[in-house]
């Protein structure tokens, strides 16, 4: 995982004081976000290490049920005014329409302009898994997730539902730039690792996901714009290969030969589906982190949902949230501390003695968290 120090995070990295908003939200978010905080507080201290301050903030469906709002204005104001980054747990968005409710994480991405969802999916050397080192870049602001839906009645009195889909050149280019820049950064990081220990052995590669054979206008614009990032910056990205994959064949290939992919960039809906499916390649949704990244803010977010069936039982796997805390630090410029977190987690997984039920074990959320902290 490569460091991505963005413009707005330089001040935090220079001063070493880092204020992180903690938004557990719903379900197991209330268990895994405290676990991530514990790991951050367990990092070895040095002159260059961040000094953490934490602010607890409210959001979520349960908050909506109590107060009529899923993302309070106070939460947004404090994130903007006091925090350099945040960790979001999980949200229990209902599958049916609830009047007045919309997902708070989708709203956060919009209000803070977190235009790329960065999701690394990597196996751990020494665990017998396939060699997977894939980074999925999901455009985070458009596609069907603009949530412009309506229902009409046809001439026969039957309901017909519509959903508008938006793909813009502006958003597509930003996602494409993120993908190609991350490909370069990952290649630089790999160059410092002995060749025998690298999971990805080839040149850096960006795979563009689309369905422009059917959606020739919207996905056609996406495809052309992302391709244009490399084609219009030929010298800068000369060392990065580029290919394409139709989204349906991508799913097939991803499960048959996941080692064929390096950086994958996709529109919002495709990226959401692919990245959740990719979690199965490394064992569990409970292992896979993500970061919602903008130019001036980042929100770490485990890929898993709120899992209400196990909430409050200490069965939740905290590793996705812990790795998301590492991603948060990485994107804020603290790549050394992020690497320590990743190495500690990998050590626990490689040893294989302490595992939550999703990985076939009987360990509790707290036991896994303590094991990671011990390795730190």
């Amino acid at each position: 995982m490569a460091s991505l120090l963005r413009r707005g995070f330089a001040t935090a990295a220079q001063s070493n004081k880092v204020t992180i908003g903690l938004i557990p939200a719903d379900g197991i978010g209330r268990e895994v976000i405290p676990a991530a905080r514990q790991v951050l507080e367990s990092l070895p201290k040095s002159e260059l290490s961040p000094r953490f301050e934490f602010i607890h903030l409210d959001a979520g469906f349960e908050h909506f049920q109590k107060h009529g709002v899923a993302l309070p204005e106070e939460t947004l104001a404090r994130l903007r005014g006091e925090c350099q980054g945040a960790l979001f747990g999980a949200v229990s968005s209902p599958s049916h329409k609830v009047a007045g409710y919309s997902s708070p994480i989708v709203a956060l991405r919009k209000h803070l302009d977190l235009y790329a969802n960065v999701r690394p999916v990597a196996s751990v050397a020494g665990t017998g898994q396939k060699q997977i080192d894939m980074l999925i870049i999901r455009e985070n602001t458009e596609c069907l997730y603009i949530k412009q839906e309506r229902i009409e009645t046809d001439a026969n009195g039957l309901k017909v539902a519509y959903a508008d889909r938006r793909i813009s050149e502006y958003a597509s280019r930003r996602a494409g730039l993120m993908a190609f820049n991350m490909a370069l950064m990952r290649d630089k990081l790999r160059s410092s690792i002995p060749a025998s220990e690298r999971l990805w052995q080839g040149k850096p590669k960006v795979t563009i996901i689309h369905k422009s054979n059917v959606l020739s206008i919207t996905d056609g614009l996406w495809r052309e714009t992302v391709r244009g990032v490399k084609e219009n910056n030929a010298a800068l990205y000369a060392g990065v290969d580029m290919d394409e994959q139709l989204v349906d064949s991508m799913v097939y290939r991803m499960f048959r030969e996941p080692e064929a992919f390096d950086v994958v960039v996709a529109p919002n809906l495709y990226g959401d589906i692919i990245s959740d499916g990719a979690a199965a390649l490394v064992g569990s949704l409970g292992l896979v982190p993500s970061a919602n990244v903008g130019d001036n803010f980042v929100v770490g977010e485990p890929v898993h949902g709120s899992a209400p069936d196990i909430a409050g039982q200490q069965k939740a796997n905290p590793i996705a949230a812990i790795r998301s805390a590492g991603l948060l630090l990485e994107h804020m410029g603290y790549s050394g501390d992020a690497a320590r977190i990743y190495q500690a987690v990998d050590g626990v997984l490689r040893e294989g003695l302490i595992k939550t039920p999703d990985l076939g074990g009987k360990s509790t959320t707290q036991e896994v968290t303590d094991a990671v902290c011990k390795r730190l």
Side-chain angles (χ1 to χ4, degrees):
M1 302 178 195
S3 174
L4 184 63
L5 176 59
R6 305 192 65 79
R7 296 192 300 270
F9 306 138
T11 301
Q14 290 165 2
S15 69
N16 286 1
K17 177 184 174 182
V18 176
T19 302
I20 296 176
L22 300 178
I23 313 172
D26 302 321
I28 62 171
R30 298 195 184 100
E31 297 165 74
V32 299
I33 293 303
R37 173 177 178 167
Q38 181 181 334
V39 169
L40 289 173
E41 292 178 322
S42 298
L43 280 165
K45 303 297 187 293
S46 72
E47 291 184 3
L48 298 178
S49 297
R51 294 182 294 105
F52 295 111
E53 293 185 3
F54 298 96
I55 299 175
H56 182 93
L57 299 170
D58 292 319
F61 183 62
E62 292 174 33
H63 190 273
F64 171 82
Q65 289 177 308
K66 293 177 182 178
H67 305 284
V69 59
L71 181 62
E73 285 296 330
E74 180 186 0
T75 294
L76 274 175
R78 297 195 74 183
L79 286 173
R80 288 172 171 149
E82 302 176 48
C83 301
Q84 285 80 51
L87 288 171
F88 187 95
V91 63
S92 297
S93 292
S95 58
H96 59 283
K97 181 177 176 58
V98 175
Y101 176 79
S102 61
S103 170
I105 188 62
V106 173
L108 270 177
R109 293 167 184 163
K110 178 180 178 180
H111 287 295
L112 299 175
D113 196 25
L114 307 176
Y115 59 84
N117 189 262
V118 178
R119 297 189 176 189
V121 180
S123 54
V124 177
T127 58
Q129 296 176 318
K130 284 188 176 182
Q131 291 193 341
I132 304 167
D133 186 11
M134 179 166 51
L135 182 71
I136 299 172
I137 305 293
R138 167 188 168 193
E139 197 287 315
N140 222 13
T141 65
E142 292 192 331
C143 196
L144 286 170
Y145 287 32
I146 60 173
K147 292 180 69 66
Q148 292 182 5
E149 298 180 285
R150 64 194 183 278
I151 290 182
E152 298 178 1
T153 303
D154 67 13
N156 298 314
L158 299 175
K159 293 179 180 178
V160 181
Y162 296 88
D164 293 331
R165 183 176 193 250
R166 183 174 68 212
I167 299 290
S168 73
E169 185 178 4
Y170 173 73
S172 302
R173 182 178 294 113
R174 290 203 298 182
L177 283 167
M178 176 76 75
F180 281 97
N181 288 336
M182 289 297 287
L184 288 176
M185 292 181 186
R186 282 159 63 84
D187 187 55
K188 184 177 180 180
L189 181 64
R190 288 170 180 146
S191 67
S192 64
I193 303 172
S196 60
E197 298 179 12
R198 299 175 198 167
L199 295 177
W200 177 265
Q201 297 289 338
K203 288 174 60 179
K205 181 174 72 172
V206 171
T207 301
I208 305 166
I209 307 303
H210 61 85
K211 189 67 176 174
S212 61
N213 59 327
V214 176
L215 301 169
S216 58
I217 296 177
T218 50
D219 273 19
L221 177 61
W222 162 266
R223 173 185 175 274
E224 293 166 8
T225 303
V226 178
R227 287 189 62 89
V229 171
K230 175 175 168 66
E231 293 166 351
N232 297 328
N233 299 275
L236 178 59
Y237 301 123
V240 181
D241 288 339
M242 177 174 66
D243 68 356
E244 305 175 20
Q245 198 77 49
L246 295 177
V247 64
D248 44 353
S249 60
M250 169 65 191
V251 172
Y252 178 81
R253 283 197 67 196
M254 185 176 71
F255 284 100
R256 290 296 298 265
E257 47 175 336
E259 66 277 7
F261 299 102
D262 180 17
V263 176
V264 174
V265 60
N268 206 339
L269 178 63
Y270 303 158
D272 191 5
I273 295 169
I274 289 169
S275 54
D276 279 9
L281 299 170
V282 292
S284 168
L285 277 172
L287 297 175
V288 181
S290 77
N292 299 284
V293 180
D295 287 336
N296 299 297
F297 206 85
V298 60
V299 176
E301 177 197 4
V303 169
H304 61 66
S306 61
D309 56 321
I310 61 169
Q313 301 176 42
Q314 278 288 298
K315 293 181 179 179
N317 191 335
I319 287 178
I322 292 168
R323 282 175 162 169
S324 295
L327 274 177
L328 175 65
L329 292 184
E330 189 178 356
H331 286 267
M332 294 175 72
Y334 295 103
S335 55
D337 290 292
R340 292 181 183 93
I341 291 176
Y342 302 148
Q343 290 163 6
V345 168
D346 287 356
V348 171
L349 291 173
R350 190 177 296 112
E351 190 176 49
L353 299 178
I354 300 177
K355 300 184 290 187
T356 42
D358 60 312
L359 297 178
K362 296 183 179 180
S363 303
T364 66
T365 305
Q366 190 61 55
E367 287 170 340
V368 174
T369 305
D370 290 342
V372 174
C373 292
K374 183 178 180 180
R375 283 189 171 268
L376 284 173

